Amino acid sequence: MTVLAAVIALVGSLFFALGAALQQFEAVGTAKPGLLALLRRPRWLLGGASILAGGGLHIVALGLGPLTVVQPMGVASLLFALPLAATLHGRRPARNELAAAGVVAIGLIGLVLLVPESEGPTHLGPDGVLTLLAVAGIAAVLLWAGSKAASPAGRAALLATSSGVLYGATATLVRVLVDGGWNWWYLLALPVPALLALVMLQRAYAVGHFGVSFASLQITDPLTAVAFGALLLGEPLPTGILPVVAALLTAAGTVALARTSPLETHRDREPLVPTP
């Protein structure tokens, strides 16, 4: 069953990567990619369906195998996403680009595996939910504001990090709902960070540095969920030197990816559009 879980998780990662590449391809080069406009693009919707399928397969894999096997397979989406996105834009991924992504993936796998598993049901009162939304919202706004003065690669990273913070808050809220009991008020609050995260992510994709955006999202989402778990739910944090080494690897890989990831624009899409 463990081998089957790993295979399903790997296929799920492929679906997730394909969905992200398709959505970035539709959003790239747009000054303000609105969700309503993107919802009218079949390829963007196909990307969303692919992401949902990937998430569903990941859940199935978690039901069949241990977290220590399934989670590393999820990180593989970063290595799948870069070649897929490059193919959509009519180019080949550079070796140094893939190498930087590999460093990020190794560091992220280390961080994921070193986080202690939580024990018992989770509970978060109304004040905790408000704190969760307020902290995530303030952090997201500050990152969005900082992106306005950054270079294109930095802007993509900051916007994707803003999205990752909001997705991390969403994941924390989902955990509270699932593990601690359903609450209609929490359920109403759930779409707020999720929709804002989606908007921020499309703006990150629109900048054009897909590798930087996707890597920043992959790093920030789980780390934010871990931080909120420790801050609001009293869950343990990893200790020792290994988490520090893993964090340094992800940081170094992201910086290298920002230097090697090419800037993609609407011009990159022209070769893929058939001429009459």
Side-chain angles (χ1 to χ4, degrees), residues 45 64 84 94 105 119 135 142 144 184 222 242 251 257 265 269-270:
L45 291 173
L64 295 174
L84 287 170
E119 298 179 358
V135 171
L142 290 175
W144 167 75
W184 68 270
L242 290 179
L257 200 55
T265 66
R269 294 167 63 173
E270 291 174 2

Side-chain angles (χ1 to χ4, degrees), residues 146-166:
S147 71
K148 292 184 174 296
S151 64
R155 190 179 311 125
L158 289 172
L159 288 171
T161 300
S162 175
S163 175
V165 169
L166 293 167

Side-chain angles (χ1 to χ4, degrees), residues 43 75 87 165 187:
R43 192 154 32 192
V75 176
T87 300
V165 169
L187 197 60

